[in-house]
Amino acid sequence: MADEEFRDAALAAIYDALDPDRGDLDAYVGAVGEFGARSVLDVGCGTGVFALLLAERGVEVVALDPAEASLAVARGKPGAGRVRWIHGDATALPRLRVDAATMTANVAQAIARPGDWHNTLRGVHAALRPGGRLIFETRDPAGRAWREWNRDASRSVTDVPGVGAVESWVQLLDVNGPLVTFLWSYVFVADGRTLTSRSTLRFRQRDEIEADLTAHGYVVEDVRDAPDRPGREFVFVARRP
C-alpha cells in the first residue's frame, strides 16, 4: 500500500510544490536516450513528472502506481493523454514489451516487503522485451542518510498556489536493520490542519540487489553513481537477456 503522502488527496495535490526541483530525473532521461528506448514502463510514477517528461520527447510511456490520488494529479496535467496510466503494482500489468523500465526517486526502497520486491522484479522482467533494461536507484546504506532526517534539518515552509503556506518536516522513528521508518508532518497554516505520512524504506546492500536481479533473470550491466548525489546512491542498469 502506498504511503499517505501519495494516497491522501490533499497531500498528493501539494506533492509537486513541496519538491519542485526534479533535477534527479535528468540522468534517467539521459539513460532512456542512451539505450534508444522508445517505450518505457515507469514503475511508481507518482504524480507523473517523469512520465510526462518522456512523453514530451515522443516516448511511449506506461505509468504505474498503487496510489490513485497521485494518479489523479498526474492525469490532470497537460499532456497526460499521451501516457497510459495504470493503477496498481507490477503484478497488475497487462501484457507489455517495453524497451526500458524505470524506478526513479528511490521507489525501489519503498517496496520494502521482500515478497513485494520479488514480485516487482518478476513483473518488470515479464514486461521488458529481450534486451530491454531496468534502471533504478537506491541509497547506499553506508551513507546512513537517515541521520539527517530530523525536524531541524528538514523543516521548510512552502507557499502552495491555491492552498497557502504549508510547513513540513520529517522525524526519524525507528531503524531496525535494513528498515528505516520515519514520519512526515504537514501543517496547512491557513486552517491549522495537520496531516502526517508514515513511511518505511528498505536499505539494501549492493550485493543483495545484484543477487536478487540475477535470481530473477536479469544481467547486471552497470552500477552507476547518481550524478546529482555522488557517493550516496547506487543506480542499477539491469538487462533482460
Side-chain angles (χ1 to χ4, degrees):
M1 180 180 293
D3 301 330
E4 289 91 340
E5 66 179 325
F6 306 114
R7 58 187 172 89
D8 182 282
L11 293 179
I14 65 173
Y15 184 84
D16 291 339
L18 269 56
D19 187 18
D21 181 8
R22 296 310 310 273
D24 60 299
L25 298 177
D26 293 345
Y28 286 92
V29 173
V32 168
E34 174 187 349
F35 298 120
R38 303 307 305 161
S39 57
V40 172
L41 169 64
D42 184 19
V43 178
C45 66
T47 58
V49 176
F50 182 58
L52 291 169
L53 278 176
L54 294 182
E56 288 173 2
R57 289 161 171 77
V59 177
E60 181 183 343
V61 184
V62 177
L64 174 73
D65 202 278
E68 183 58 50
S70 292
L71 287 176
V73 173
R75 291 189 184 107
K77 293 181 176 181
R82 303 171 184 161
V83 177
R84 182 180 181 185
W85 308 99
I86 298 178
H87 178 224
D89 59 24
T91 65
L93 287 170
R95 186 174 182 85
L96 297 173
R97 276 294 180 267
V98 296
D99 298 327
T102 57
M103 290 187 281
T104 68
N106 295 295
V107 163
Q109 287 188 260
I111 308 172
R113 296 176 180 174
D116 294 340
W117 173 241
H118 291 292
N119 285 338
T120 297
L121 293 181
R122 189 178 300 114
V124 170
H125 188 277
L128 287 169
R129 65 164 176 79
R133 292 170 174 87
L134 168 61
I135 308 160
F136 67 94
E137 66 186 63
T138 182
R139 294 180 182 89
D140 182 352
R144 301 179 68 189
W146 57 86
R147 293 180 298 179
E148 302 172 6
W149 297 352
N150 58 75
R151 178 166 180 161
D152 291 340
S154 64
R155 180 185 177 276
S156 65
V157 178
T158 305
D159 187 17
V160 180
V163 174
V166 178
E167 181 182 5
S168 60
W169 66 88
V170 68
Q171 175 187 355
L172 179 66
L173 298 180
D174 184 57
V175 179
N176 182 10
L179 298 176
V180 177
T181 301
F182 54 96
L183 184 75
W184 273 101
S185 296
Y186 305 89
V187 179
F188 293 73
V189 176
D191 59 12
R193 179 176 36 138
T194 299
L195 298 176
T196 60
S197 178
R198 182 186 177 101
S199 303
T200 296
L201 300 181
R202 182 175 290 271
F203 282 72
R204 299 178 177 90
Q205 299 292 339
R206 173 174 171 168
D207 58 355
E208 176 188 359
I209 297 171
E210 291 180 343
D212 288 344
L213 288 167
T214 299
H216 287 285
Y218 296 88
V219 174
V220 180
E221 286 192 331
D222 200 2
V223 182
R224 304 177 175 182
D225 209 6
D228 61 319
R229 288 150 290 167
R232 299 173 63 183
E233 303 265 346
F234 300 130
V235 180
F236 285 84
V237 179
R239 175 174 50 85
R240 174 178 173 171

